Amino acid sequence: DLGGGAVATLVVEDDGKGLSRSGAANDPDVTSCWGMAVMRERAAAVGGELRIEQPARGTRVIVEVRGDTHRAA
């Protein structure tokens, strides 16, 4: 239970070649990336937010769920 404004953060990253640098990974209106759309939908289902970061190399996927917005899935 995440009460009192606590935040749960999940970070998955790799140091591979990464994603396209077009910015589409963070655009919620892009529907051609089904995997991203599903991850974004699942994060939203529990009141969370999905963010994709692209450091110099690789990709970082971050999901944050705040305790005051958590809903049972």
Side-chain angles (χ1 to χ4, degrees), residues 2-58:
L2 290 175
V7 177
T9 303
L10 169 72
V11 178
V12 178
E13 63 183 302
D14 70 14
D15 61 356
K17 84 176 199 183
L19 301 170
S20 165
R21 299 278 177 190
S22 69
N26 278 313
D27 186 345
D29 295 325
V30 173
T31 57
S32 61
C33 303
W34 288 107
M36 295 294 176
V38 169
M39 287 191 293
R40 193 174 316 284
E41 185 177 279
R42 289 183 179 180
V46 294
E49 180 181 311
L50 173 80
R51 191 170 74 246
I52 308 294
E53 294 179 355
Q54 296 176 275
R57 191 177 156 109

